[in-house]
Amino acid sequence: MEYRKGELPPYSAVATPDWRRRWSVRRSRSVKFLALACLVFIVYAQWRQIEHRPMHSLVSQLSTEKLNEDLRVCSKLRSKPQDPIGLGRERNARYVTGQKPTLIKNATVWVGEPVEGTSAEDARVGKGFSWINADVLLEYGLIKEVRRGIDASSLASDTLIWDAKGRQLTTGIIDMHSHTGVDSLPGLVGNDDTNEMGSNITPYVRSIDGLNIFDHQIQVIKSGGVTTSLVLPGSSNNIGGEAFVIKHAVGKPDGRNETSIADLLADPDRNWRYIKMACGENSKRTYGLPGEHGPTSRLGESWEFRHAFEQAAKLLQAQDDWCNLAESVGVEQMNSYLPQELQWETLVAVLRGQVHVNTHCYTVPDLEAFVDHSNEFKFPVRAFHHAHQTFLIPEVLKRAYGSSPPASALFADNMWYKAEAYIGSEYAGKVLYENGLTPIYVSDNPVLNAQHVVFEAAKAFGYGLPYHAALAAVTTAPAERLGLGQRLGKVKPGFDADIVVWDSDPLSVGAAPAQVWIDGAAQFDDPVELKKPFTSPDSLPEVLAVTDDAVAASDVVFTGVSNSFLSPEFRPGSHGRNSTVAISHGRITCVGVCEEELEMASKSGSKIISLQNGYLIRPFTVFGSLLGLNAIDAESDTDNGGSPDIFSRGIDGLAFETKKLHYAVKYGVTRAISAPKYSSQGTHQGTSVGFRTAAKHALEEGAIFADDVAVHYTLDLSAKRGGTSISNAVNSLRHKLLEAVAADPNANTTAADPYTEAAFLAKVVDGSLPLVVTVHSADAIASLLEVKKTIEKAIASSRGSGGISLVIIGGAESFLVAEELAAANVGVVLSPLLSYRNGWDQRRALTGAPLTNGTAIDKLIAAGVHVAIGIEEDWLVRDVGLLAGIAYKNSQGKLSEKDALDLVSDNVYEILGLDGSDDAREFVVFEGSPLEIGARIRAVGGGVGDKITVFV
């Protein structure tokens, strides 16, 4: 029967049976059954044959030796490291044979732990901690004894005796976040091995493979008392690679018997391993390319982490399966080797708990996501680094996988440099500690100079972290987080003989080592020791309670003012050590006894605030920063911008009421002088504007105190950008100035546009505006002095008399031509105050005691150069008084308190030829010296409006 295509056959087509077809079907089925039976028999026979064949015939191609080696690896894979012991060792594994014992006599010792019997609760609040008088014996690279009255005559005859003279002794400082050696200084392309940028996920690279042991910064860092650093890969990658803990002793000059990277390792047995990971902006900025590869977002970054851990988890499971089977049936029965992949080996070790994880994370979403990753893949996080927002989410940190929540490795007050650093607090360490968490202070060298990482802890103490916790934050806490807490971080028998004797309290401004020992070997043959007054501490120092609540007030009276550094009319008379300061309608009306003002305040209910050791000073003035022209350093939308091809006026780009300016006022910086940048922060081109940081906008009365302060150019390394050269930049500046001299001074050349570059240069050559050049190199400064001579000669030739006012800002190497600068009457604004040779044009900078006798500021002042202090990064607005304090403390009596304060106020105006700030509405009231850690600002008169800011 036929039917059309697509139709079902009618029922009749299949209903009638056909015996021939039925027989065919039956026969086909029988054949299939027979074939299937034969196949089953063959498979069975083969299986029986395999079962009885000796296994070794299958693995005959595998090496028994390699299989046994793999089996031994299994036990290593399953082992979890323990913190290496300290007490009980006869000698340090790093001990160099022949190193003589050392007895340090008459020291004031910080042991690093409370006295025995102190409860954990009491220890947390500082009970049981104290400075003790003791001698310390160092032998075989270990601390052997810590007690009073160790008899030198009972020791080996070759024992070296070192008299501490009562000075304070601590364990070596530990920096838990450094790139020393991989990001060598001065920074050169050929020496930069911070990040492996061939891929985003690089757990397989190791910082040790790029560590430059001849990086001079290793020695500079040690000169700040840092004996141990965790050297991390950079933060461009989500997973950046392995890190290593080193000690800062290199080769025979430092007491070692060889010069090698391996010899730097703090734990030669390598009990623990370390890895660097990073969340947030860096990876998506570096690797994200939409449509091609990611991550382009934090969402993508989380996938990158999870995918990497997934690969590691698969390898871990495969290894465990292999090990279990090999142990069960014997390696001779194995038909494969132990699964191993170098690419994922480190991450597998992370999941096995053999690697301490250190993760760069700033923001709440980054932190919380990484906490989730730790729980999903079951690995602990040793510390979050930078960790700006950890203080906001202590409970989230406590949810991280493991028995101990992550520590927070922080800067004390460095923030605002990118979006993820915009939210942060100088009180973060205090808040974290009060929530039972662990703050640690780090340098991220060369972001901060690790030579001064102890200063980060000192500032944290000033912001309210208890003294014992602040000192622990750079000693015992990082030691514990590195898994080396039984060997490093305390001055106890059995610990490594890493010791620092300080010239002053280590948590005070300007503290520097008198000597440093690493593994019992003194590190400086002839250390420079600054002469500072020393008083043995009777108890732990304390700072005043934080006064962070600000209120606006018109009338207020302060009593207990001991020192005033305003103009003579506002200096106290015979009652100077206990004076009163009265403020009415935002102006100072009386300094002295002020009985009438006190009586009126009592009757009217105005605030009367009693101070202990009050200071009345001029406000700080910041010169050379981007205050008012930038809100977040790395975000172009928040920045005025700048280019080598543009000459512009700072006043035209001012933006008020930013977080930076609010903090400036809060910390006593009421005036700033800012110029447009040439290419990046710390470079300048155009005219600078003088403005008050408390103003709401540029049109507010008193907001601008100088429209155009100076004409700025840049001659640091950035001047070579765009295919030019330093010599061309110098020649171009000379040419512009000579053209300005050649122009007719009587012609009204500025009538059409008085704001052109030529118009401002005309003011430079007629002496009405200073020329400020950003430059560090002594050679470039020498060229500028020659330019100045040439221009002044041309002025004398064409106009009969006159000259130009030249100012240097930067000045890292200016001390090398200090006498020439003084002779030419050229002022210097040091920015930064303490260079650490981070650029080639700063390579000869002085880094201070114990390596050098003084720094640039000491040499310049001694030569008679007019000097001020600037800030090269805006976050330093909090530290302006402390920078002046460093100069004061390290001047060995050559600077008075007023001299130091003038470095950040009056001297700026003198150098630039401006009128100073004698306005009765501009002042700062401190409780405690503004030059010391822990002083509190109690009032700021910002110079605008009729109210002041009072902190209560």
Side-chain angles (χ1 to χ4, degrees):
M1 180 175 291
E2 296 182 350
Y3 47 90
R4 291 191 300 271
K5 184 178 179 182
E7 290 184 353
L8 290 173
Y11 180 77
S12 61
V14 294
T16 305
D18 186 327
W19 69 268
R20 286 172 299 183
R21 181 172 181 84
R22 183 180 301 170
W23 167 249
S24 175
V25 170
R26 287 176 178 173
R27 184 174 59 184
S28 174
R29 288 176 178 172
S30 298
V31 171
K32 288 181 179 178
F33 178 80
L34 182 61
L36 179 60
C38 291
L39 180 62
V40 169
F41 175 78
I42 292 169
V43 170
Y44 174 77
Q46 289 293 322
W47 176 78
R48 293 290 296 173
Q49 191 175 10
I50 291 171
E51 184 182 34
H52 289 90
R53 183 183 298 170
M55 185 62 129
H56 64 79
S57 64
L58 271 182
V59 296
S60 59
Q61 299 302 312
L62 300 183
S63 163
T64 303
E65 181 181 356
K66 175 68 168 63
L67 288 167
N68 280 306
E69 181 183 328
D70 283 356
L71 187 60
R72 287 190 292 272
V73 171
C74 287
S75 62
K76 294 180 181 177
L77 292 178
R78 290 168 174 165
S79 66
K80 184 172 180 181
Q82 301 295 315
D83 290 3
I85 65 164
L87 191 64
R89 293 183 293 168
E90 290 298 320
R91 62 178 57 202
N92 187 337
R94 287 178 46 84
Y95 170 69
V96 174
T97 302
Q99 177 65 50
K100 296 179 181 180
T102 298
L103 177 62
I104 303 173
K105 298 282 291 181
N106 305 316
T108 304
V109 177
W110 183 260
V111 174
E113 67 180 20
V115 295
E116 190 174 351
T118 305
S119 69
E121 294 77 11
D122 284 347
R124 188 77 186 171
V125 297
K127 294 181 180 178
F129 286 91
S130 66
W131 290 94
I132 64 170
N133 297 318
D135 302 335
V136 180
L137 176 62
L138 314 178
E139 190 175 20
Y140 297 120
L142 300 173
I143 300 171
K144 287 291 188 178
E145 289 188 83
V146 182
R147 61 179 176 86
R148 285 189 180 188
I150 297 177
D151 185 1
S153 65
S154 66
L155 305 176
S157 60
D158 62 347
T159 299
L160 304 173
I161 310 297
W162 201 91
D163 188 359
K165 301 176 182 176
R167 288 168 296 193
Q168 287 160 287
L169 180 152
T170 69
T171 184
I173 301 301
I174 300 170
D175 185 3
M176 199 172 157
H177 188 135
S178 182
H179 303 293
T180 183
V182 293
D183 196 352
S184 301
L185 299 183
L188 298 171
V189 173
N191 286 342
D192 184 1
D193 292 296
T194 317
N195 298 282
E196 171 46 53
M197 298 174 70
S199 174
N200 179 36
I201 304 297
T202 58
Y204 44 82
V205 304
R206 311 182 305 174
S207 66
I208 196 173
D209 295 326
L211 202 152
N212 174 16
I213 59 176
F214 301 115
D215 180 4
H216 181 66
Q217 185 68 0
I218 293 175
Q219 301 298 327
V220 172
I221 291 169
K222 178 172 60 183
S223 75
V226 178
T227 56
T228 305
S229 293
L230 176 62
V231 179
L232 298 154
S235 56
S236 289
N237 307 51
N238 283 142
I239 300 179
E242 284 201 59
F244 290 80
V245 182
I246 68 164
K247 291 196 180 183
H248 288 255
V250 183
K252 292 184 179 180
D254 293 348
R256 309 305 300 162
N257 58 4
E258 66 175 68
T259 301
S260 68
I261 300 171
D263 191 60
L264 295 182
L265 295 178
D267 178 18
D269 298 326
R270 304 194 190 190
N271 287 277
W272 284 107
R273 295 165 67 185
Y274 311 87
I275 193 170
K276 168 71 175 296
M277 302 185 189
C279 319
E281 289 186 36
N282 290 5
S283 180
K284 65 191 184 107
R285 283 175 185 252
T286 304
Y287 297 100
L289 192 59
E292 296 190 23
H293 52 76
T296 63
S297 68
R298 286 177 164 85
L299 288 68
E301 288 187 13
S302 276
W303 184 88
E304 294 267 346
F305 281 121
R306 297 178 71 213
H307 179 65
F309 283 122
E310 181 186 43
Q311 306 312 304
K314 288 178 180 178
L315 180 56
L316 182 150
Q317 187 62 58
Q319 290 177 338
D320 286 351
D321 290 347
W322 189 96
C323 292
N324 290 335
L325 183 59
E327 291 170 346
S328 174
V329 303
V331 294
E332 67 278 0
Q333 302 296 315
M334 300 302 292
N335 60 4
S336 67
Y337 294 124
L338 174 69
Q340 296 187 71
E341 291 184 51
L342 194 58
Q343 179 179 3
W344 301 113
E345 184 276 332
T346 303
L347 275 192
V348 172
V350 168
L351 299 184
R352 293 188 184 281
Q354 298 167 343
V355 182
H356 285 327
V357 175
N358 292 270
T359 304
H360 157 129
C361 270
Y362 285 81
T363 68
V364 170
D366 291 329
L367 293 160
E368 195 157 355
F370 205 85
V371 167
D372 288 346
H373 303 332
S374 79
N375 284 300
E376 180 180 5
F377 293 96
K378 294 181 171 51
F379 64 90
V381 181
R382 211 62 181 175
F384 283 120
H385 291 241
H386 299 300
H388 277 52
Q389 295 178 24
T390 52
F391 78 101
L392 296 170
I393 53 168
E395 297 310 314
V396 172
L397 267 60
K398 293 175 184 178
R399 293 203 296 266
Y401 180 82
S403 58
S404 177
S408 294
L410 307 161
F411 300 137
D413 50 16
N414 184 359
M415 51 195 74
W416 315 324
Y417 45 89
K418 53 183 176 176
E420 62 188 6
Y422 190 60
I423 297 175
S425 173
E426 61 271 46
Y427 305 118
K430 175 179 182 288
V431 173
L432 288 163
Y433 191 77
E434 289 171 349
N435 280 274
L437 297 168
T438 304
I440 291 171
Y441 288 92
V442 298
S443 72
D444 194 12
N445 187 88
V447 172
L448 300 182
N449 180 6
Q451 176 189 9
H452 302 300
V453 71
V454 72
F455 187 48
E456 295 300 293
K459 289 188 289 184
F461 167 55
Y463 295 133
L465 184 64
Y467 184 90
H468 71 287
L471 204 43
V474 287
T475 54
T476 54
E480 182 271 328
R481 291 288 153 165
L482 293 172
L484 299 172
Q486 297 182 56
R487 290 188 176 179
L488 303 177
K490 297 178 183 177
V491 183
K492 291 180 61 180
F495 279 66
D496 287 6
D498 300 340
I499 298 294
V500 184
V501 173
W502 301 88
D503 64 6
S504 50
D505 189 306
L507 297 188
S508 66
V509 170
Q515 183 57 279
V516 176
W517 289 262
I518 295 180
D519 301 314
Q523 296 298 295
F524 303 111
D525 290 336
D526 188 21
V528 174
E529 184 179 348
L530 303 180
K531 296 176 182 177
K532 297 180 181 178
F534 174 73
T535 303
S536 182
D538 296 326
S539 59
L540 297 192
E542 295 182 357
V543 296
L544 297 166
V546 172
T547 52
D548 212 32
D549 293 330
V551 297
S554 295
D555 304 314
V556 62
V557 174
F558 291 95
T559 63
V561 175
S562 305
N563 299 274
S564 175
F565 296 96
L566 297 186
S567 57
E569 62 182 299
F570 293 125
R571 290 183 189 163
S574 58
H575 298 83
R577 300 305 299 172
N578 188 24
S579 294
T580 296
V581 175
I583 297 155
S584 178
H585 299 291
R587 294 175 176 271
I588 297 175
T589 56
C590 177
V591 178
V593 180
C594 305
E595 291 179 347
E596 183 179 343
E597 286 80 1
L598 270 171
E599 184 178 354
M600 289 176 62
S602 298
K603 291 179 178 178
S604 65
S606 298
K607 287 184 180 296
I608 300 176
I609 299 175
S610 178
L611 305 177
Q612 298 178 21
N613 191 29
Y615 274 68
L616 177 63
I617 69 167
R618 293 185 191 281
F620 303 135
T621 297
V622 162
F623 178 47
S625 74
L626 284 177
L627 288 179
L629 298 174
N630 176 282
I632 303 173
D633 298 353
E635 292 291 335
S636 60
D637 284 356
T638 76
D639 182 57
N640 173 60
S643 165
D645 301 321
I646 296 173
F647 186 95
S648 60
R649 302 172 73 215
I651 192 171
D652 294 331
L654 276 181
F656 289 85
E657 292 203 307
T658 64
K659 183 180 284 189
K660 289 181 178 181
L661 294 180
H662 287 309
Y663 272 89
V665 175
K666 177 180 174 180
Y667 284 90
V669 178
T670 69
R671 290 190 177 201
I673 302 171
S674 301
K677 65 186 181 185
Y678 172 80
S679 59
S680 59
Q681 191 167 41
T683 65
H684 312 93
Q685 182 157 289
T687 66
S688 50
V689 57
F691 67 98
R692 290 182 170 89
T693 57
K696 291 181 173 58
H697 51 77
L699 300 180
E700 184 176 8
E701 184 181 355
I704 309 298
F705 65 83
D707 288 0
D708 298 287
V709 174
V711 176
H712 291 256
Y713 292 97
T714 291
L715 283 177
D716 68 3
L717 295 178
S718 63
K720 296 190 291 183
R721 293 183 180 175
T724 185
S725 63
I726 296 293
S727 55
N728 179 66
V730 172
N731 189 57
S732 176
L733 178 58
R734 181 192 297 112
H735 178 71
K736 290 176 181 179
L737 290 168
L738 286 173
E739 281 191 329
V741 172
D744 183 356
N746 297 315
N748 190 9
T749 57
T750 63
D753 186 353
Y755 304 116
T756 64
E757 182 177 7
F760 284 114
L761 286 174
K763 294 182 178 182
V764 169
V765 298
D766 72 17
S768 59
L769 278 183
L771 173 66
V772 177
V773 180
T774 302
V775 60
H776 286 291
S777 165
D779 303 302
I781 294 172
S783 295
L784 280 173
L785 292 178
E786 287 298 318
V787 168
K788 184 175 187 291
K789 288 181 183 177
T790 299
I791 302 306
E792 289 178 339
K793 184 177 180 181
I795 292 172
S797 175
S798 64
R799 305 183 183 185
S801 63
I804 65 172
S805 172
L806 176 63
V807 178
I808 301 299
I809 184 167
E813 294 187 355
S814 59
F815 69 95
L816 291 170
V817 287
E819 292 183 2
E820 291 80 1
L821 288 167
N825 195 28
V826 173
V828 176
V829 180
L830 288 171
S831 180
L833 169 64
L834 301 172
S835 169
Y836 50 106
R837 308 181 179 187
N838 55 329
W840 184 254
D841 55 350
Q842 303 180 45
R843 69 189 185 278
R844 293 173 288 187
L846 298 175
T847 55
L851 285 180
T852 67
N853 188 7
T855 60
I857 195 165
D858 303 300
K859 305 298 183 184
L860 292 169
I861 290 173
V865 178
H866 297 291
V867 184
I869 295 173
I871 63 171
E872 77 283 13
E873 295 183 79
D874 296 348
W875 63 269
L876 287 164
V877 291
R878 294 182 180 88
D879 298 344
V880 173
L882 298 180
L883 294 175
I886 291 171
Y888 170 64
K889 282 296 190 71
N890 291 343
S891 71
Q892 302 189 84
K894 295 182 178 66
L895 293 179
S896 66
E897 284 187 301
K898 183 182 185 309
D899 293 334
L901 290 168
D902 285 349
L903 292 170
V904 289
S905 56
D906 285 4
N907 288 14
V908 175
Y909 299 95
E910 290 177 9
I911 289 172
L912 296 172
L914 291 174
D915 292 333
S917 54
D918 286 332
D919 192 331
R921 298 179 302 165
E922 287 187 275
F923 56 88
V924 183
V925 177
F926 274 87
E927 189 162 18
S929 170
L931 305 175
E932 298 280 3
I933 293 290
R936 295 282 178 257
I937 290 184
R938 302 305 302 272
V940 177
V944 291
D946 59 0
K947 291 187 177 181
I948 68 170
T949 302
V950 179
F951 295 94
V952 295

